[in-house]
Every structure is written in structure tokens, then in C-alpha cells.
Amino acid sequence: MERDGGRLRPDNSYKENLIGTLLAIFGNLVISISLNVQKYSHVRLSGTKDPRTYFRTKTWWLGLVLMLLGELGVFTSYAYAPLSLVTPLSAVSIVASSILGIIFLRDKWKPREFLRQYVLSFLGCALTVIGIYLLVTFGPNTHESLSGRNLELHLLGLPFLLYLLVVIIIFCLLLYFYKRQKMTYLVIILLLVALLGSVTIVAAKGVSGMVILSIQGNLQLTYPIFYVMLVCMIATAVYQAAFLHEVSMLYDASQIASLSYILSTVIAVIAGATFYLEFRGTDALHICMFIFGSCLAFLGVFLIAKSKKKMTFEPYAMIDVIPGLRSIFDKNPVQPELSSSLSYGTLENTTDIQQESNAPQPDIVSKLH
């Protein structure tokens, strides 16, 4: 490939950006399919008397293999396309999950909510697709060889050092408010995730680029920066997972998905612009259209998340998931009473009966006195 000072010439840059874009779209689509396949495996097991755990089923393992394949596609795309282009394409997974949730998993809504739910879903999908098209069309096209030497120069560059200093200060302040002051606001936790995520993808792009160059014959694994980035990528990914687990215990998944996508994309674009200088030489029109496309994608993801039905706690298995069982209880349905004792049907809770039997009877006590 012809290069000009370590940076790809325009013709090769467009070609590599196309490869990276297609890999990112493919990876996110496969990830979405894998998550729905694994969810389908859980639903099937919950509706049968199969004693096997989910990780012993072929369907669940198929979902896992597809997820690894999708993650590999996204990881490889970092070596070819800019971060500012690859990161927003994660919306493809959200759009695909929304459609597959309706078709593959047969998600249901109440009749009175049918029109409103589907209008929001398809409007969100349309806006997201338009936004992605604008992102791909007007996104940055400059790309350079991710050699160890180039990455060292970027790492010691003034723009990234200033960005890293600001990120560390903001992260420490947010962590203080979250851990010490017990401020469990959704924005605070997801900002922590997004800041860690910006370091993760910057490191992932460097590792991916050096691995691809090594496979092509230009060995880069001898550079210490490769192992530094590898450790940073793994460590920040682990802490991201920990924060996401904590926030999932506090807030609804639809709220987390939409806000996390917006914050992570904005901070990732800033990180790519400061570390890899992805917008250097880009004209104002392309930048404005890129921002406009990002806003459309954000709005589309928000509408998709808003249309999702919130899950409520039900201390029983839905009859719908067990084929043929509904016909048995059409005349005399049996469901638990949603009382504090969680008694089933007409059977009283034994603990309540025992407590009542041990309690002194007021009439007997009065007669003894």
C-alpha cells in the first residue's frame, strides 16, 4: 500500500475505511444476532422441564460463538477505519436487536399500546439508519499506519496528554462523588463507563493495528507500547464491566442503553480526534454533517430505547412460554396472589400460619385473668 509519511494516500484511505466500515457493521449485526440467540435459549429452557443449565445447550453455545465472531469483526475494524467512524456504528446492533426482538423473539405489547410502540420503534430505526449513512459518508477518511513508532509519537503528543489529564481529573471527581458521596445518578456512572471506554478503544485500535501489520509481515510485537496498550485495554474493559453491572442493578436497561451509547460515542470521538488526529484536514462541511448524523443517530437510539417495554417483577412463570399449557387453564386460571406473603393460589404461607398459631389469643388470656 502506498503511504505518504506514514499516512495513507486518499485512494487507499477510502479503501481501508470501507473495509473497516463493513467489518464494523458485520460485527455489530452478528453480536445482535448472538444476543438474541442466547436469549432464545433462556426462554426455551424457562418454558420446559429440561433440567439442563443454559450453558449445556447447543443454542447458547451457538450464540457465544457468534458473539466472539462479532467482537472479532469489530476489533479488526479498528485497524482500518477511524474511531470516529467505528464507534457510532454500534447503533447497528441496537437497530438489529429492535427488529429481531419483534420477529425472532415475538416481543408483545398490549393492543392499546401497539401503534405507539411500533411507531416509535420504526421511527427510531429510520432516524438511526439515516444518521449512520451520514456518519459513514461525511466521517473522517484520513488513516495512517498504526506502527509502534507512530503510536509512541501520538502517545507523547501534546493534544493527547492534555486530553488524558482532563480525563483523569474528571474520572477522579466522578469516582469520589459515586463512591464517597453515594451519588448513584445514572449520568455519573455512565460517564465513568464512557471515560474508561475511551481509553479502551484507543488502546484497542493501537493493538489491532499492530497485530494486522504484524500479520502482513511488518512485525510490531517487539515494541513495548504494544503490551502497554494491551494491558490498558484489558484493565479498562474489566472495570467497565464492573460499573455496568452495578448500574444494571439500579436502572432500567433501556435507559442505560440509550444514554450509554450517546455518552460513549461523544467521548470516543473526542478521544480519536485527540490521539489519532482523525479530523485533521477535514473541512467544516464534513464536520457539520458528521455532527448532524450523530445527532440523528442519538435521537433514533433514544426513541428505540423509549419504545421498549419495561419489565416488571412477576413471581411466577408466564403460561404463554409453555406450549399447550394455556388451554388447560382457560376456564380456571391459576396464578399466585401478589401479596406480601407471596402465597400461591388459595394456599396460605406456612410461616404466616405458624406465627399466628404462636401468637397469644386475646380471649383466652382475658379468661385466665
Side-chain angles (χ1 to χ4, degrees):
M1 289 183 295
E2 298 180 2
R3 300 182 186 273
D4 184 11
R7 187 171 293 273
L8 282 172
R9 292 181 180 177
D11 52 347
N12 288 327
S13 179
Y14 280 110
K15 180 180 178 181
E16 293 214 349
N17 279 359
L18 178 61
I19 294 174
T21 301
L22 293 177
L23 284 173
I25 293 174
F26 168 78
N28 283 294
L29 281 175
V30 173
I31 290 173
S32 176
I33 294 172
S34 70
L35 292 175
N36 282 277
V37 168
Q38 288 186 325
K39 183 179 178 182
Y40 178 75
S41 175
H42 286 283
V43 171
R44 286 288 300 273
L45 284 180
S46 66
T48 63
K49 295 182 179 180
D50 194 342
R52 294 178 299 168
T53 51
Y54 61 89
F55 56 84
R56 293 183 181 179
T57 61
K58 295 180 180 179
T59 309
W60 187 88
W61 280 103
L62 174 62
L64 180 62
V65 172
L66 290 175
M67 181 179 293
L68 294 177
L69 179 62
E71 293 290 352
L72 179 62
V74 175
F75 177 76
T76 308
S77 69
Y78 287 128
Y80 293 97
L83 287 179
S84 306
L85 188 59
V86 174
T87 306
L89 290 177
S90 59
V92 173
S93 179
I94 299 176
V95 173
S97 295
S98 178
I99 298 174
L100 290 174
I102 298 172
I103 300 175
F104 185 66
L105 295 173
R106 299 179 183 179
D107 287 348
K108 300 177 182 179
W109 288 277
K110 295 180 181 179
R112 63 183 179 180
E113 298 177 350
F114 179 84
L115 181 61
R116 179 173 62 87
Q117 295 286 359
Y118 274 95
V119 165
L120 286 177
S121 293
F122 287 112
L123 178 60
C125 290
L127 289 175
T128 304
V129 171
I130 295 173
I132 290 174
Y133 172 77
L134 293 177
L135 288 171
V136 173
T137 304
F138 296 96
N141 290 313
T142 55
H143 187 60
E144 65 178 338
S145 173
L146 297 177
S147 63
R149 179 58 181 166
N150 287 340
L151 290 174
E152 288 175 352
L153 294 175
H154 284 304
L155 184 63
L156 299 177
L158 182 60
F160 181 71
L161 291 178
L162 292 176
Y163 169 79
L164 191 61
L165 177 62
V166 173
V167 166
I168 292 174
I169 294 174
I170 296 176
F171 183 84
C172 291
L173 288 175
L174 292 173
L175 193 63
Y176 170 78
F177 288 126
Y178 175 54
K179 292 295 185 180
R180 294 293 183 180
Q181 301 298 324
K182 304 299 180 182
M183 293 184 179
T184 57
Y185 298 112
L186 180 61
V187 175
I188 291 179
I189 305 176
L190 291 184
L191 274 174
L192 290 170
V193 175
L195 291 173
L196 287 172
S198 67
V199 179
T200 303
I201 61 173
V202 165
K205 181 175 176 64
V207 171
S208 177
M210 284 189 282
V211 169
I212 295 299
L213 285 179
S214 299
I215 293 175
Q216 293 174 350
N218 187 5
L219 186 62
Q220 301 293 319
L221 304 186
T222 57
Y223 286 90
I225 192 172
F226 172 81
Y227 301 98
V228 172
M229 285 192 159
L230 181 63
V231 171
C232 289
M233 180 184 70
I234 296 174
T236 52
V238 169
Y239 280 105
Q240 277 187 85
F243 282 121
L244 285 173
H245 175 71
E246 293 177 7
V247 75
S248 66
M249 305 298 291
L250 300 173
Y251 294 95
D252 183 70
S254 61
Q255 294 177 319
I256 298 173
S258 59
L259 188 57
S260 177
Y261 171 75
I262 294 172
L263 294 176
S264 298
T265 301
V266 170
I267 297 179
V269 169
I270 297 174
T274 54
F275 187 88
Y276 295 105
L277 305 177
E278 293 177 344
F279 287 92
R280 185 171 60 182
T282 305
D283 57 80
L285 175 62
H286 279 72
I287 293 176
C288 291
M289 293 302 295
F290 180 85
I291 295 174
F292 179 64
S294 299
C295 292
L296 287 181
F298 295 160
L299 180 59
V301 170
F302 173 77
L303 291 177
I304 293 173
K306 187 177 178 60
S307 67
K308 292 294 183 181
K309 180 180 65 175
K310 294 184 179 180
M311 302 300 294
T312 56
F313 172 71
E314 296 174 339
Y316 55 87
M318 297 297 293
I319 291 180
D320 288 336
V321 300
I322 306 177
L325 190 60
R326 172 169 288 281
S327 59
I328 301 175
F329 299 106
D330 281 341
K331 296 182 180 180
N332 299 310
V334 179
Q335 294 292 357
E337 298 175 356
L338 297 179
S339 59
S340 58
S341 60
L342 292 179
S343 60
Y344 191 87
T346 58
L347 299 179
E348 298 292 338
N349 194 319
T350 56
T351 57
D352 295 340
I353 297 175
Q354 186 177 2
Q355 291 177 358
E356 292 177 2
S357 62
N358 293 334
Q361 301 297 328
D363 294 337
I364 299 176
V365 174
S366 60
K367 289 180 181 179
L368 291 177
H369 288 284

